Amino acid sequence: MTRLASSFWRKSPGAREGQRRSPPSPDTGAALLELDDLSVAIAGKPVLRKVRLAIAPGEIVALTGESGSGKSMTALAAMGLLPPGARTEGAIRLAGRDLITLGDRALCAVRGAEIGMIFQEPMTALNPVQRIGDQVAETIRIHAPRTPRAEVLSQAARTLARVGLPAERVPPTRYPHELSGGQRQRVGIAMAIALRPRMLIADEPTTALDVTTQARILGLLRRLVQEDGMALMMITHDLAVVADMADRIAVMNEGRIVEEAPTTRLFREMRHPYTRALFEASRHRASLPPRPAGEPLLQVHDAYRSYALPRTRLLGSAPRHEAVRGVSFDIGLGERVGLVGESGCGKSTLTRAILGLEPLQRGSITLDGRDVATDPAARRRMQVVFQDPYGSFNPRHRVRRLITEPFHLLDDPPKGAARDDAVAEALEAVGLDPSVADRTIHAFSGGQRQRLAIARALIIRPDLLIFDEAVSALDVRVRARILDLVADLSTRFGLAYLFISHDLSVVRGITDRVMVMQAGEIVERGPTDAVFDAPRHAYTQTLMAAAPRLPEIGQDEPVA
Amino acid sequence: MPLDPGVARPYRAAMLAYAVKRLISLAISLLVASAVIFAVVEIAPGDPARFMLGINAQPDTVAALRAELGLDVPKWQRYLNWLGGMITGDFGTSYTYRTPVAQMVADRLWVSLPLALYALTLSTAIAFPAALIAAARRGRGPDVAVMGATQLGVAVPNFWFAMLLVLLFAINLGWFSAGGFPGWSDPLAALKALTLPAIALALPQAAILARVMRSSLIDVLGEDFIRTARAKGLSMRQALWRHGVRNALIPVLTILGLQFAFLLAGAIIIEQVFYLPGLGRLIFQAITQRDLVVVESVVMLLVFAVIMVNFAVDLAYAAVDPRLRRRA
């Protein structure tokens, strides 16, 4: 099917050669997309400063940097999709034609046909009430309105097959909510490449996906670039993702490209200190002095939880999804344990069950012998830090009130001066000044918010902390500092923690023991280094192989 | 594109299960509502027989009338008789007019139902384009104008509009008659008589509908899939039409359902202004004359209509949003 589709599609690039409106001008050389001293200001605030970047056909150029560095703005500028009120200077040339001078009608003709774009969030990037086949077909129909409907739909089906969604497995009549995250991202790719654009922009295309899915999506993008001779601008915050994929890497900071070089040379030389800092932070490991596990603290015994799924027949019982299937493990006093697995493996259900928020249908979870679901004394000794620090704080309350929330678990919470002392102590423990206690949450950066979340968890001096994807939304440099903080706190207070993450490299640096979860079961467990160095279970091996890796610094060749 | 049978089968089953569940809850709601209505009307003071015969009536005459009206049997039996009668289409006999209630209600329904539909159509026809224009030009001239107009529409009561309309179109211009209803023997004349009342009813409704739809559209325009549509080459207007409208429809459907239910019974004042023989006036008269059978029956009918409309809205949700079909 895929092959058939490709042979059909092969006709068009040749045909397009004749359609090129203007040949590339001599000074642009072979560049297809060329940003020439591109500056953008939004509401008077500069977001891009004199960005120069050229991408040739068939070339993969990665744009990397932290949030707010301007990488997404560069992409949106190239698409002509900057927010209203943006002021642009310089030039954006696509095959010699300056897109800045084009009106919206002309730009609409370029978008989707000559430049395609893929976005980060496959969950929200698709229209939830339209069939996927129709959404892909729209790209074709909008640029060639006279094409007969049947022809458009079969073209759409061929494009879907080409990105790995053949009609016999994933019919084009499906709606987005019936697909997995990886499948939705494939639909996003199909929409972008349906007309075989010469330029493809991918904005964090795999950030929201699991590692194994990420590896497959990256492979697909590489194949499409090769087959179509497309130029690909790949935006990512994760250097490891593009290390063995990009021809060149441009590093952005505060709206500027601070360093740009072929991938091999960039990793070898790292001329700019910012590049080096990013690289170091990406592979940062907190120093974790070994600590023998104490008495068992948390004991999970044969935990089982299933959910009813929607009925597929009018009569008869509804099918059930077994989220957690008889999981058992212990965490000792002061022990640092990691839990890794992909989305849907049962991590979240298990976490909620440990917190006493999810009733089990079988088995038991106890903290120091007390049932977590029924005994409030157990809840007192355990706290949690979630992924989204902003969403877990009431924006109208001040820090003092926010971080003292867990006091309601205590029978006799500290009052007056003792309460102020507790607030100051918790804030100092996470490296914040006690004077911030009277601010509200919007005054803080993402990293500071996560520190506040940790302060809130620490304030009742728990024995066990649960970190649920607690660093996944943070930039690499901030993440490195938070990991150091976690390691430091565990050393100082003898804290035990369960560190849950889909990111293997993070778990490796911060835990003594690790458990790998798949389809509701723990398939492998052991000392962290042993599991990472010599994974025994096939699934663990797949995970390790799929995880993107940074090349060793100073090495001549990146790991290919 | 042919529906893939593998997908369609569980889908249709889910949709059917959803509809059946809604139907069961609909039947329960109706039963509870009928019991409540019966109880409330029975508790209301005043004996209809005594009221009909006047204060000087002889006790044995009253007793005879009570027997004739079926008021002498135990309450639970009267409830069952009433319920059974309604299921078979027998709504009882009006105490005041001595005519079958079913006939009275049917006559009035022929005015109220077309009026409600007419007003609803008008309000949708006004609200949808206004909301689309306002959302597309958010914060600029057209949006400000639409928002100002809707503010006025929400604030001003509909009978005031009605009086203005009568003044302008009936008295000054003479295009329409100021009131009355000629019956449906001449459909065009009937429609014409309903036009001014329908406009008066529609304007405030359109104002609310336009505001809800505008804010719903603006929310949808901020969604990622609109940006995706723009990246495919759709203009802002195309993205709004093809991806915005359907996604913005859920809150609009909710409001539409509520408005239709209100229009059926809530047109009392407008019916009064235009001398229309509608349901609103019927129930008003029945209450003042203590015509319990009519009150019970009309209220029950309205409850039935509201519940049916909600049922239709529930089905419309599922038709608009495939994600809801699963939530059986």
Side-chain angles (χ1 to χ4, degrees):
Chain A
M1 186 71 201
T2 310
R3 174 172 282 190
L4 222 148
S6 309
S7 63
F8 167 82
W9 280 110
R10 285 262 154 69
K11 292 174 198 157
S12 46
R16 195 190 279 110
E17 291 304 315
Q19 285 175 7
R20 263 192 197 165
R21 283 156 220 205
S22 57
S25 56
D27 60 332
T28 57
L32 175 67
L33 180 77
E34 194 189 19
L35 309 180
D36 195 354
D37 281 343
L38 178 68
S39 296
V40 171
I42 294 173
K45 199 169 156 271
V47 291
L48 294 183
R49 303 163 207 250
K50 300 221 173 249
V51 171
R52 295 184 74 94
L53 188 69
I55 306 179
E59 193 180 31
I60 301 178
V61 175
L63 214 53
T64 187
E66 293 175 303
S67 42
S69 63
K71 42 191 205 305
S72 287
M73 278 300 158
T74 308
L76 290 176
M79 290 295 288
L81 285 177
L82 287 169
R87 282 192 36 165
T88 314
E89 281 169 44
I92 304 166
R93 277 189 285 272
L94 184 72
R97 188 158 58 131
D98 190 354
L99 299 182
I100 290 178
T101 60
L102 295 184
D104 194 55
R105 185 179 290 261
L107 268 177
C108 281
V110 173
R111 288 186 209 121
E114 294 178 54
I115 311 185
M117 184 157 178
I118 304 159
F119 296 95
Q120 173 174 354
E121 280 298 331
M123 299 297 157
T124 54
L126 304 181
N127 184 346
V129 304
Q130 211 177 50
R131 298 191 171 111
I132 58 170
D134 292 336
Q135 299 198 44
V136 176
E138 188 174 42
T139 306
I140 303 162
R141 201 177 295 144
I142 205 81
H143 293 281
R146 281 168 208 284
T147 323
R149 183 177 156 78
E151 168 62 19
V152 171
L153 286 178
S154 71
Q155 272 192 35
R158 282 194 295 266
T159 310
L160 281 169
R162 189 168 176 233
V163 299
L165 300 175
E168 59 272 19
R169 271 200 300 121
V170 185
T173 46
R174 290 274 167 95
Y175 288 96
H177 69 272
E178 300 173 278
L179 307 185
S180 69
Q183 288 173 328
R184 290 185 213 192
Q185 195 58 294
R186 285 173 195 270
V187 176
I189 294 172
M191 288 192 291
I193 62 140
L195 288 175
R196 300 213 161 196
R198 285 176 287 176
M199 177 81 220
L200 185 63
I201 299 175
D203 187 358
E204 304 271 8
T206 59
T207 306
L209 304 176
D210 288 321
V211 277
T212 49
T213 316
Q214 166 171 280
R216 286 194 289 266
I217 294 287
L218 293 176
L220 169 66
L221 285 175
R222 241 183 318 216
R223 196 193 87 209
L224 293 172
V225 164
Q226 251 166 27
E227 286 177 3
D228 289 3
M230 265 188 304
L232 173 62
M233 182 200 282
M234 172 100 170
I235 291 160
T236 176
H237 69 287
D238 189 346
L239 272 172
V241 163
V242 286
D244 60 347
M245 174 164 174
D247 299 309
R248 278 186 299 133
I249 296 181
V251 182
M252 289 193 79
N253 186 25
E254 293 178 1
R256 283 190 187 85
I257 291 183
V258 295
E259 182 166 2
E260 189 214 324
T263 305
T264 320
R265 205 174 84 208
L266 186 107
F267 281 119
R268 194 175 54 221
E269 295 177 353
M270 294 210 191
R271 291 204 187 133
H272 199 281
Y274 181 75
T275 312
R276 195 165 284 272
L278 273 189
F279 185 84
E280 293 296 345
S282 300
R283 40 182 229 156
H284 180 80
R285 290 212 193 140
S287 64
L288 205 62
R291 171 141 32 88
E295 297 288 297
L297 176 65
L298 179 78
Q299 293 181 293
V300 178
H301 178 70
D302 193 28
Y304 178 92
R305 175 76 178 138
S306 69
Y307 299 100
L309 292 174
R311 265 161 227 272
T312 51
R313 281 172 303 161
L314 192 51
L315 301 170
S317 58
R320 298 190 76 81
H321 170 66
E322 298 179 301
V324 176
R325 304 193 294 172
V327 166
S328 301
F329 65 89
D330 289 356
I331 295 179
L333 262 175
E335 204 184 4
R336 298 154 299 198
V337 180
L339 177 64
V340 295
E342 299 188 294
S343 48
C345 75
K347 292 186 307 235
S348 304
T349 306
L350 182 59
T351 311
R352 285 200 301 274
I354 292 173
L355 291 167
L357 304 174
E358 186 90 45
L360 291 177
Q361 281 136 345
R362 202 177 71 211
S364 67
I365 301 178
T366 57
L367 191 75
D368 208 13
R370 297 166 193 271
D371 189 333
V372 293
T374 55
D375 194 339
R379 302 284 309 283
R380 237 167 256 170
R381 301 181 53 188
M382 164 168 74
Q383 284 291 300
V384 63
V385 178
F386 290 109
Q387 170 169 2
D388 178 7
Y390 191 65
S392 66
F393 285 114
N394 184 332
R396 285 182 186 82
H397 293 172
R398 294 180 192 285
V399 164
R400 182 186 310 283
R401 179 160 172 196
L402 292 174
I403 68 169
T404 52
E405 269 167 3
F407 277 160
H408 77 266
L409 292 169
L410 304 182
D411 296 326
D412 183 23
K415 294 190 176 62
R419 196 179 182 94
D420 291 341
D421 287 347
V423 170
E425 198 184 347
L427 287 173
E428 273 168 359
V430 297
L432 290 173
D433 192 280
S435 68
V436 304
D438 289 314
R439 298 203 194 143
T440 50
I441 194 71
H442 68 261
F444 296 90
S445 69
Q448 287 172 325
R449 283 172 190 165
Q450 209 51 302
R451 282 174 193 265
L452 287 174
I454 296 173
R456 170 170 65 182
L458 284 176
I459 201 158
I460 56 167
R461 302 188 167 269
D463 298 313
L464 175 69
L465 270 188
I466 294 172
F467 292 97
D468 188 1
E469 300 280 1
V471 297
S472 303
L474 303 175
D475 278 323
V476 282
R477 290 189 304 169
V478 179
R479 185 177 77 190
R481 286 195 290 270
I482 295 287
L483 290 177
D484 281 341
L485 172 68
V486 169
D488 176 54
L489 291 173
S490 106
T491 315
R492 268 160 59 202
F493 299 118
L495 265 179
Y497 56 75
L498 177 64
F499 201 100
I500 299 157
S501 181
H502 70 284
D503 189 334
L504 300 165
S505 64
V506 169
V507 172
R508 176 160 208 185
I510 193 121
T511 56
D512 306 311
R513 216 149 51 77
V514 68
M515 304 182 288
V516 182
M517 196 164 176
Q518 183 198 17
E521 287 171 340
I522 289 175
V523 295
E524 180 158 3
R525 63 182 92 201
T528 304
D529 285 332
V531 171
F532 274 80
D533 291 336
R536 289 187 314 262
H537 192 275
Y539 178 68
T540 317
Q541 289 163 358
T542 315
L543 274 187
M544 302 292 170
R549 224 159 308 206
L550 281 170
E552 288 305 313
I553 204 160
Q555 212 177 312
D556 279 354
E557 292 293 320
V559 182
Chain B
M1 200 177 297
L3 262 175
D4 170 60
V7 188
R9 191 166 27 77
Y11 245 54
R12 294 217 182 97
M15 189 76 187
L16 193 63
Y18 176 82
V20 167
K21 271 193 178 181
R22 302 300 311 160
L23 269 172
I24 292 171
S25 91
L26 185 151
I28 294 171
S29 310
L30 281 175
L31 208 60
V32 171
S34 69
V36 170
I37 290 166
F38 186 78
V40 168
V41 173
E42 287 300 314
I43 288 165
D47 180 348
R50 197 168 285 283
F51 186 86
M52 286 160 72
L53 292 169
I55 37 170
N56 296 323
Q58 296 297 315
D60 55 334
T61 326
V62 174
L65 185 60
R66 284 179 61 88
E68 190 194 327
L69 294 174
L71 292 173
D72 56 344
V73 298
K75 290 203 164 150
W76 62 268
Q77 200 174 341
R78 280 175 51 210
Y79 171 67
L80 288 183
N81 289 344
W82 175 62
L83 210 59
M86 276 202 298
I87 291 170
T88 54
D90 175 14
F91 285 49
T93 307
S94 161
Y95 298 156
T96 326
Y97 300 106
R98 302 290 178 106
T99 49
V101 177
Q103 187 55 47
M104 289 171 69
V105 168
D107 289 346
R108 306 303 182 103
L109 211 54
W110 270 106
V111 178
S112 283
L113 196 62
L115 179 62
L117 286 173
Y118 197 175
L120 202 71
T121 312
L122 280 179
S123 97
T124 314
I126 299 167
F128 273 44
L132 277 168
I133 292 167
R137 305 249 186 284
R138 187 188 179 186
R140 284 182 276 165
D143 186 25
V144 175
V146 167
M147 290 309 281
T150 57
Q151 193 79 51
L152 205 69
V154 173
V156 176
N158 56 15
F159 60 82
W160 178 252
F161 281 130
M163 284 153 67
L164 288 181
L165 290 170
V166 169
L167 263 178
L168 182 63
F169 293 105
I171 297 175
N172 286 343
L173 296 172
W175 294 354
F176 296 92
S177 62
F181 186 69
W184 284 101
S185 51
D186 180 1
L188 226 59
L191 267 184
K192 204 174 160 191
L194 290 182
T195 299
L196 288 187
I199 294 173
L201 283 170
L203 284 178
Q205 308 273 24
I208 295 167
L209 202 59
R211 291 179 83 89
V212 171
M213 184 154 187
R214 171 189 174 268
S215 70
S216 179
L217 274 171
I218 285 172
D219 286 348
V220 170
L221 286 182
E223 297 276 354
D224 285 351
F225 59 78
I226 295 290
R227 190 183 53 186
T228 309
R230 296 278 283 146
K232 284 199 264 183
L234 275 74
S235 68
M236 201 62 215
R237 182 175 307 196
Q238 287 168 323
L240 182 69
W241 263 112
R242 297 179 187 208
H243 298 276
V245 174
R246 191 166 166 191
N247 276 290
L249 224 46
I250 290 273
V252 175
L253 283 175
T254 310
I255 299 289
L256 269 177
L258 291 173
Q259 292 194 339
F260 184 69
F262 166 80
L263 284 171
L264 262 188
I268 298 185
I269 299 177
I270 292 296
E271 285 172 6
Q272 208 70 32
V273 171
F274 289 96
Y275 297 107
L276 293 177
L279 275 182
R281 281 180 85 198
L282 177 65
I283 198 169
F284 180 71
Q285 289 163 353
I287 290 170
T288 53
Q289 293 164 343
R290 229 164 289 300
D291 201 342
L292 293 193
V293 177
V294 175
V295 175
E296 278 171 352
S297 303
V298 176
V299 171
M300 194 59 217
L301 188 78
L302 290 174
V303 167
F304 179 72
V306 169
I307 289 175
M308 287 311 289
V309 167
N310 281 340
F311 177 66
V313 167
D314 279 340
L315 293 186
Y317 285 160
V320 166
D321 192 336
R323 288 168 296 182
L324 296 178
R325 289 171 208 164
R326 285 195 154 186
R327 228 178 278 162

